[in-house]
């Protein structure tokens, strides 16, 4: 699932960049390690090495506690509950068949109307699931439309709007941190990375050039 989704998880905050996928990869590795420990316990019991079973259990229990603690400390996996949004359609878990380019374009028009009209891209807690509920369109269809028409994933598409807003803020003389927070980013590393990717400059470099111009 981590490999297929390529960062477009329904309940990941789009402002968090790659951090949530790293969290889930850590958890996935911990689950694999847990399965390996079960095999080791079976092998130890079968081989008559009962004395090492306790050691294996102690190590795996510690790993489980560390994994739970790591997940609890990470604010980047959102529990996406918004009572102001309409309930999600159960059909949103499936990709409609035979979606052609015309439907993709129609989806993109609705998406842009929602993002620009309501300035939804400025919400740092924005997730793909919330966009799907607001539009009433399956989230996989939204992800597929963005990928087909722009060649990018949902997070990068949303970040273009955010970086444009940040550029306007920097051009008005706001400092980098204020521009970052007001544009929907909540991590400076992700903001700097996306700003450099889209503009080819760091926020400070862009601001200096803007002031000089």
């Amino acid at each position: 699932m981590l490999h297929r989704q390529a960062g477009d998880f329904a309940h990941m905050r789009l402002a968090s960049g790659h951090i949530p996928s790293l969290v889930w990869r850590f958890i996935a590795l911990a689950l694999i390690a847990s399965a390996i420990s079960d095999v080791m316990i079976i092998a130890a019991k079968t081989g008559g090495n009962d004395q090492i079973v306790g050691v294996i259990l102690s190590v795996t229990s510690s790993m489980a506690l560390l994994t739970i603690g790591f997940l609890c400390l990470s604010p980047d996996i959102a529990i996406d509950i918004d009572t102001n949004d309409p309930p999600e359609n159960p059909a949103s878990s499936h990709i409609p068949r035979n979606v052609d380019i015309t439907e993709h374009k129609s989806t993109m028009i609705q998406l842009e109307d929602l993002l620009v009209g309501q300035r939804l891209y400025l919400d740092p807690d924005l997730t793909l699931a919330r966009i799907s509920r607001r539009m009433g369109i399956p989230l996989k269809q939204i992800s597929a439309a963005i990928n087909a028409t722009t060649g990018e994933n949902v997070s990068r598409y949303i970040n273009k709007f955010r970086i444009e807003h940040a550029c306007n803020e920097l051009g008005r003389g706001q400092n980098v941190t204020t521009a970052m927070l007001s544009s929907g980013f909540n991590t400076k590393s992700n903001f700097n990375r996306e700003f450099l990717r889209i503009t080819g400059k760091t926020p400070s470099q862009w601001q200096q050039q803007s002031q000089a111009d």
Side-chain angles (χ1 to χ4, degrees):
M1 180 65 72
L2 282 164
H3 178 71
R4 289 201 309 270
Q5 294 292 89
D8 285 344
F9 292 100
H11 298 286
M12 278 172 42
R13 291 185 177 95
L14 299 176
S16 300
H18 67 292
I19 296 175
S21 60
L22 290 178
V23 173
W24 283 115
R25 281 184 173 87
F26 183 86
I27 295 169
L29 290 172
L31 290 171
I32 293 170
S34 176
I36 292 172
S37 73
D38 289 342
V39 174
M40 292 172 63
I41 290 172
I42 293 171
K45 296 287 287 184
T46 303
N49 297 317
D50 292 352
Q51 67 275 12
I52 68 170
V53 172
V55 176
I56 295 172
L57 287 171
S58 296
V59 172
T60 53
S61 296
S62 297
M63 287 181 59
L65 289 172
L66 285 171
T67 302
I68 294 170
F70 186 65
L71 176 59
C72 291
L73 287 173
S74 174
D76 297 304
I77 298 179
I79 303 301
D80 186 39
I81 300 173
D82 192 334
T83 56
N84 294 321
D85 290 339
E88 187 173 358
N89 189 331
S92 66
S93 60
H94 303 286
I95 300 176
R97 296 181 178 180
N98 302 321
V99 177
D100 58 22
I101 192 63
T102 302
E103 289 179 89
H104 283 325
K105 288 181 178 178
S106 175
T107 299
M108 293 302 292
I109 290 172
Q110 293 180 60
L111 176 60
E112 189 167 340
D113 285 344
L114 174 69
L115 293 174
V116 177
Q118 300 184 26
R119 305 185 83 187
L120 201 61
Y121 60 90
L122 297 179
D123 182 359
D125 294 325
L126 185 63
T127 64
L128 179 55
R130 186 179 180 192
I131 294 172
S132 174
R133 290 199 302 271
R134 287 290 188 92
M135 294 177 64
I137 294 176
L139 58 87
K140 291 183 180 180
Q141 181 177 327
I142 298 171
S143 180
I146 292 174
N147 184 260
T149 57
T150 70
E152 298 179 340
N153 61 22
V154 178
S155 180
R156 287 193 167 197
Y157 175 76
I158 300 295
N159 283 341
K160 282 189 174 182
F161 293 96
R162 290 172 168 165
I163 294 301
E164 182 179 352
H165 182 271
C167 287
N168 291 333
E169 293 296 293
L170 291 171
R172 292 174 50 240
Q174 296 285 0
N175 61 51
V176 173
T177 301
T178 301
M180 175 194 78
L181 295 174
S182 66
S183 300
F185 289 94
N186 52 18
T187 58
K188 197 164 186 177
S189 59
N190 188 43
F191 173 66
N192 289 337
R193 182 176 59 253
E194 289 298 284
F195 199 101
L196 182 62
R197 179 181 67 85
I198 293 171
T199 68
K201 299 179 178 65
T202 66
S204 298
Q205 290 172 341
W206 191 95
Q207 188 173 48
Q208 289 173 0
Q209 181 176 334
S210 175
Q211 291 173 349
D213 292 342

